[in-house]
Amino acid sequence: MLKEFDLKKDIKLDFTSGWSYDPAPESTDHVHIKDQYDHFIGGKFVAPQGGQYFDTTNPANEKKLASVAMGCDKDVDAAVKAARTAYDKYWSKMSPRDRGRYIYRIARMIQERAREFAVIETLDGGKPIRESRDVDVPLVAAYFFYYAGWADKLQYAFPGGNPKPLGVAGQIIPWNFPLLMAAWKIAPALATGNTVVLKPAETTPLTSLKLAEIIQEADLPPGVVNIVTGAGDTGASIVNHPNVDKIAFTGSTNVGKIIQKSIAGTNKKLTLELGGKAANIIFDDATIDQAVEGIINGIFFNQGHVCCAGSRLFVQEGVADIIRDKLIDRMQSLIVGDPMDKNTDIGAINSKEQLGTIQRYLEIGLNEGNEIYQTKCDLPDKGYWCCPTLVANVSQSSRLVQEEIFGPVLTIQTFRTPEEVLEKANNTPYGLSGGVWTDKGSKIFNMTNKVRAGVMWANTFNKFDPTSPFGGYKESGLGREGGLHGLYPYLKF
Ligand code: ADP
């Protein structure tokens, strides 16, 4: 059985029974979602050649939002042809400065329609509106602005290198940061002079399709950006298309491996941003309250739907009890529910399938004999939900410590020495991100050099910036996105 926290014993401040915020729902009046969306190919919205559509639903109430075109091989072929024509005819011939101007225009239009994007992201994906509004959409604009700036400065990024675009980039993205992942993919590809065929995830296609409307309004030459919707088969069709020069994929490690095998022996360039199992390491000289907030931010906000989520907590023994108590207090105060409410901390799990995955992991944890605690929360009748969950008494070999769960589930382990925690932190198949909390700069440098992760945060967690590269080691992927490093995979020298 999953245990609920014992309120009397565990909770110093019981927010759940004392008071609560009045509802503060974000309005949807200014948002227009069409009943049906087609592919965006060659600058126009075109019906799928197979004639099929699928539903995209709101995971917070299970209501259908729109029908979306199901892409088949012929649609992908049309999109790749449009991208190739646009590359040969317009984009590769245009001056870098003019390419940059188009990207700046997209960035500004995203800012102008920021609320609309935030609301659609939340309706389609289930993440809290506060997150979409304050994190996702501002970062989307920031990535477009940042890469727009590089468009006419590539010779300074790679002095003496004479960089050239690759041609057509096939880009496949997941459902956890739908619009932000589209920005991470499209902005550097365009800035380096490539054209694009992008496929959003099947559960969150709507913001990419809204972005297509902006791209149309921005008057980008037809075919520079093409968006084909669909599921795994549509993605595979992009990966296997012979006229695609580069694949950029963000998603699960399993699919990443399939893609790597499919393109082995071809000339296609590849970047993979895959799973993670970040260690969040708290030393006994850390600022405790700040660290607790960092732990919460690292795993619970955005429902743990973050590949770099701080899903493994390591606490030095001297502060283990106080951290645990404060963490439980804070977990109890998290508001789980309607993602459109501005007070909500934890929204809906993105899909029924993902909720099933999380629940299966909790069962595995119980069978392994772990102690699993969940906060008590009033959940809506419909939709997919998971209350914040803490897994204690867990061993290093537990599947909950080793495998990516992609939900609001935090394992907690203790350690005595830096050597011990390093050993444990590095003992997973992943190497995407991690965090270290300490008062000592020397300890920060020691740990961040030795934890085998592409991204390390010190005394903070889950902070993003367009100028910083992001990417992993081991089964977390290949290549870097973001920053100057993010230009490189789209260029040949
Ligand atoms: P998750 O488990 O996070 O849903 P997936 O790796 O299954 O991640 O999905 C990420 C993206 O990859 C989605 O857009 C999905 O449609 C796409 N996808 C799934 N299977 C394949 C495949 N075999 N080839 C290419 N893309 C795929």
Short mmCIF file of all heavy atoms in Angstrom, two decimals, residues 172-175 199-202 230-237 239 249-256 258-259 262 354 406, ligand 1:
data_model
loop_
_atom_site.label_atom_id
_atom_site.label_comp_id
_atom_site.label_asym_id
_atom_site.label_seq_id
_atom_site.Cartn_x
_atom_site.Cartn_y
_atom_site.Cartn_z
N ILE A 172 12.49 15.75 -34.38
CA ILE A 172 11.40 15.03 -33.72
C ILE A 172 11.44 15.37 -32.24
O ILE A 172 12.49 15.23 -31.59
CB ILE A 172 11.58 13.51 -33.94
CG1 ILE A 172 11.50 13.24 -35.45
CG2 ILE A 172 10.53 12.71 -33.19
CD1 ILE A 172 12.13 11.94 -35.86
N ILE A 173 10.30 15.81 -31.72
CA ILE A 173 10.33 16.35 -30.35
C ILE A 173 9.28 15.67 -29.46
O ILE A 173 8.31 15.10 -29.95
CB ILE A 173 10.14 17.89 -30.35
CG1 ILE A 173 8.85 18.30 -31.08
CG2 ILE A 173 11.35 18.56 -30.99
CD1 ILE A 173 8.52 19.77 -30.93
N PRO A 174 9.46 15.75 -28.14
CA PRO A 174 8.57 15.08 -27.19
C PRO A 174 7.49 16.01 -26.65
O PRO A 174 7.37 17.15 -27.10
CB PRO A 174 9.54 14.69 -26.08
CG PRO A 174 10.50 15.83 -26.05
CD PRO A 174 10.62 16.35 -27.46
N TRP A 175 6.77 15.51 -25.63
CA TRP A 175 5.59 16.24 -25.14
C TRP A 175 5.83 17.03 -23.86
O TRP A 175 4.91 17.67 -23.36
CB TRP A 175 4.43 15.27 -24.92
CG TRP A 175 4.80 13.98 -24.23
CD1 TRP A 175 5.02 12.78 -24.83
CD2 TRP A 175 5.02 13.76 -22.83
NE1 TRP A 175 5.35 11.82 -23.90
CE2 TRP A 175 5.35 12.40 -22.65
CE3 TRP A 175 4.96 14.56 -21.69
CZ2 TRP A 175 5.63 11.83 -21.40
CZ3 TRP A 175 5.24 14.01 -20.45
CH2 TRP A 175 5.57 12.66 -20.32
N LYS A 199 8.46 17.23 -36.42
CA LYS A 199 7.27 16.49 -35.97
C LYS A 199 7.11 16.65 -34.45
O LYS A 199 7.96 16.18 -33.69
CB LYS A 199 7.38 14.99 -36.29
CG LYS A 199 6.05 14.29 -36.02
CD LYS A 199 6.15 12.80 -35.94
CE LYS A 199 6.51 12.30 -34.57
NZ LYS A 199 5.50 12.56 -33.52
N PRO A 200 6.01 17.28 -34.03
CA PRO A 200 5.76 17.35 -32.58
C PRO A 200 5.23 16.01 -32.07
O PRO A 200 4.84 15.15 -32.86
CB PRO A 200 4.69 18.44 -32.46
CG PRO A 200 4.01 18.49 -33.79
CD PRO A 200 5.00 18.00 -34.82
N ALA A 201 5.19 15.85 -30.76
CA ALA A 201 4.67 14.61 -30.17
C ALA A 201 3.16 14.52 -30.40
O ALA A 201 2.47 15.53 -30.51
CB ALA A 201 4.97 14.58 -28.68
N GLU A 202 2.66 13.30 -30.44
CA GLU A 202 1.25 13.09 -30.77
C GLU A 202 0.29 13.61 -29.70
O GLU A 202 -0.86 13.91 -29.99
CB GLU A 202 0.97 11.61 -31.07
CG GLU A 202 1.50 10.62 -30.05
CD GLU A 202 2.94 10.17 -30.31
OE1 GLU A 202 3.76 11.01 -30.66
OE2 GLU A 202 3.21 8.96 -30.15
N GLY A 230 1.82 13.54 -36.25
CA GLY A 230 1.61 12.10 -36.27
C GLY A 230 2.30 11.45 -35.10
O GLY A 230 2.77 12.15 -34.19
N ALA A 231 2.38 10.13 -35.13
CA ALA A 231 2.96 9.40 -34.00
C ALA A 231 4.34 8.83 -34.39
O ALA A 231 5.02 9.38 -35.25
CB ALA A 231 2.00 8.31 -33.56
N GLY A 232 4.71 7.69 -33.76
CA GLY A 232 6.05 7.13 -33.96
C GLY A 232 6.35 6.80 -35.40
O GLY A 232 7.47 7.03 -35.88
N ASP A 233 5.36 6.26 -36.16
CA ASP A 233 5.62 5.88 -37.55
C ASP A 233 5.97 7.10 -38.40
O ASP A 233 6.80 7.02 -39.31
CB ASP A 233 4.37 5.21 -38.17
CG ASP A 233 4.17 3.82 -37.60
OD1 ASP A 233 5.12 3.31 -36.94
OD2 ASP A 233 3.08 3.26 -37.79
N THR A 234 5.31 8.21 -38.10
CA THR A 234 5.60 9.45 -38.85
C THR A 234 7.04 9.88 -38.55
O THR A 234 7.78 10.29 -39.45
CB THR A 234 4.61 10.56 -38.45
OG1 THR A 234 3.31 10.00 -38.36
CG2 THR A 234 4.62 11.70 -39.42
N GLY A 235 7.43 9.77 -37.27
CA GLY A 235 8.80 10.10 -36.88
C GLY A 235 9.80 9.20 -37.61
O GLY A 235 10.80 9.68 -38.15
N ALA A 236 9.49 7.91 -37.64
CA ALA A 236 10.40 6.95 -38.29
C ALA A 236 10.53 7.27 -39.77
O ALA A 236 11.61 7.13 -40.37
CB ALA A 236 9.88 5.53 -38.08
N SER A 237 9.44 7.72 -40.37
CA SER A 237 9.47 8.05 -41.79
C SER A 237 10.40 9.24 -42.05
O SER A 237 11.11 9.28 -43.07
CB SER A 237 8.02 8.30 -42.20
OG SER A 237 7.93 8.81 -43.43
N VAL A 239 13.01 9.98 -40.10
CA VAL A 239 14.37 9.46 -39.83
C VAL A 239 14.90 8.71 -41.05
O VAL A 239 16.07 8.83 -41.42
CB VAL A 239 14.33 8.51 -38.60
CG1 VAL A 239 15.64 7.74 -38.46
CG2 VAL A 239 14.03 9.30 -37.33
N PHE A 249 16.80 14.63 -32.43
CA PHE A 249 15.71 13.94 -31.73
C PHE A 249 15.80 14.23 -30.24
O PHE A 249 16.88 14.18 -29.64
CB PHE A 249 15.84 12.42 -31.95
CG PHE A 249 14.90 11.60 -31.10
CD1 PHE A 249 13.55 11.48 -31.45
CD2 PHE A 249 15.34 10.96 -29.95
CE1 PHE A 249 12.68 10.73 -30.66
CE2 PHE A 249 14.48 10.20 -29.16
CZ PHE A 249 13.14 10.09 -29.52
N THR A 250 14.66 14.53 -29.63
CA THR A 250 14.57 14.55 -28.17
C THR A 250 13.44 13.62 -27.78
O THR A 250 12.33 13.71 -28.32
CB THR A 250 14.27 15.97 -27.64
OG1 THR A 250 15.33 16.84 -28.05
CG2 THR A 250 14.19 15.97 -26.13
N GLY A 251 13.72 12.67 -26.88
CA GLY A 251 12.68 11.72 -26.47
C GLY A 251 13.30 10.62 -25.64
O GLY A 251 14.35 10.80 -24.99
N SER A 252 12.68 9.45 -25.70
CA SER A 252 13.10 8.35 -24.83
C SER A 252 14.40 7.71 -25.34
O SER A 252 14.71 7.74 -26.54
CB SER A 252 12.01 7.30 -24.77
OG SER A 252 11.80 6.76 -26.04
N THR A 253 15.13 7.09 -24.41
CA THR A 253 16.37 6.41 -24.77
C THR A 253 16.08 5.25 -25.72
O THR A 253 16.85 5.02 -26.66
CB THR A 253 17.08 5.94 -23.48
OG1 THR A 253 17.45 7.13 -22.75
CG2 THR A 253 18.34 5.15 -23.78
N ASN A 254 14.97 4.55 -25.52
CA ASN A 254 14.64 3.43 -26.40
C ASN A 254 14.51 3.87 -27.85
O ASN A 254 15.10 3.27 -28.75
CB ASN A 254 13.32 2.78 -25.98
CG ASN A 254 13.54 1.88 -24.80
OD1 ASN A 254 14.68 1.54 -24.49
ND2 ASN A 254 12.46 1.51 -24.13
N VAL A 255 13.73 4.93 -28.06
CA VAL A 255 13.55 5.40 -29.44
C VAL A 255 14.87 5.98 -29.97
O VAL A 255 15.21 5.78 -31.13
CB VAL A 255 12.38 6.42 -29.54
CG1 VAL A 255 12.30 7.02 -30.93
CG2 VAL A 255 11.06 5.74 -29.17
N GLY A 256 15.63 6.63 -29.11
CA GLY A 256 16.94 7.15 -29.52
C GLY A 256 17.83 6.05 -30.07
O GLY A 256 18.52 6.22 -31.08
N ILE A 258 16.79 3.21 -31.38
CA ILE A 258 16.24 2.77 -32.68
C ILE A 258 16.71 3.72 -33.78
O ILE A 258 17.15 3.29 -34.86
CB ILE A 258 14.68 2.74 -32.63
CG1 ILE A 258 14.20 1.69 -31.63
CG2 ILE A 258 14.07 2.51 -34.02
CD1 ILE A 258 12.70 1.73 -31.36
N ILE A 259 16.66 5.01 -33.49
CA ILE A 259 17.05 6.00 -34.51
C ILE A 259 18.53 5.86 -34.85
O ILE A 259 18.91 5.88 -36.02
CB ILE A 259 16.72 7.43 -34.01
CG1 ILE A 259 15.20 7.61 -33.96
CG2 ILE A 259 17.37 8.50 -34.88
CD1 ILE A 259 14.73 8.93 -33.40
N SER A 262 18.91 3.01 -37.10
CA SER A 262 18.35 3.23 -38.45
C SER A 262 19.28 4.05 -39.32
O SER A 262 19.32 3.85 -40.52
CB SER A 262 17.02 3.97 -38.44
OG SER A 262 16.23 3.61 -37.42
N GLN A 354 1.22 7.63 -19.75
CA GLN A 354 2.31 8.05 -18.86
C GLN A 354 1.92 7.83 -17.40
O GLN A 354 2.74 7.41 -16.59
CB GLN A 354 2.68 9.52 -19.13
CG GLN A 354 3.88 10.00 -18.34
CD GLN A 354 5.11 9.13 -18.52
OE1 GLN A 354 5.29 8.49 -19.55
NE2 GLN A 354 5.96 9.09 -17.51
N PHE A 406 9.78 9.71 -15.05
CA PHE A 406 9.12 10.83 -15.72
C PHE A 406 7.80 11.19 -15.05
O PHE A 406 6.76 11.37 -15.68
CB PHE A 406 8.89 10.50 -17.20
CG PHE A 406 9.38 11.59 -18.11
CD1 PHE A 406 10.73 11.90 -18.19
CD2 PHE A 406 8.50 12.33 -18.89
CE1 PHE A 406 11.20 12.91 -19.01
CE2 PHE A 406 8.95 13.35 -19.72
CZ PHE A 406 10.31 13.64 -19.78
P1 ADP B 1 8.20 9.47 -24.65
O1 ADP B 1 8.42 8.10 -24.06
O2 ADP B 1 8.78 10.58 -23.87
O3 ADP B 1 6.82 9.70 -25.18
P2 ADP B 1 9.16 8.86 -27.26
O4 ADP B 1 10.60 8.65 -27.52
O5 ADP B 1 8.24 7.70 -27.38
O6 ADP B 1 9.14 9.56 -25.86
O7 ADP B 1 8.58 10.01 -28.18
C1 ADP B 1 9.30 11.19 -28.50
C2 ADP B 1 9.01 11.56 -29.94
O8 ADP B 1 9.50 10.52 -30.78
C3 ADP B 1 7.53 11.69 -30.27
O9 ADP B 1 7.37 12.76 -31.18
C4 ADP B 1 7.19 10.35 -30.90
O10 ADP B 1 6.10 10.41 -31.79
C5 ADP B 1 8.48 10.06 -31.66
N1 ADP B 1 8.74 8.65 -31.95
C6 ADP B 1 8.27 7.54 -31.31
N2 ADP B 1 8.76 6.42 -31.88
C7 ADP B 1 9.56 6.82 -32.90
C8 ADP B 1 10.39 6.13 -33.88
N3 ADP B 1 10.48 4.80 -33.91
N4 ADP B 1 11.09 6.87 -34.76
C9 ADP B 1 11.04 8.22 -34.74
N5 ADP B 1 10.28 8.92 -33.87
C10 ADP B 1 9.55 8.24 -32.95
#
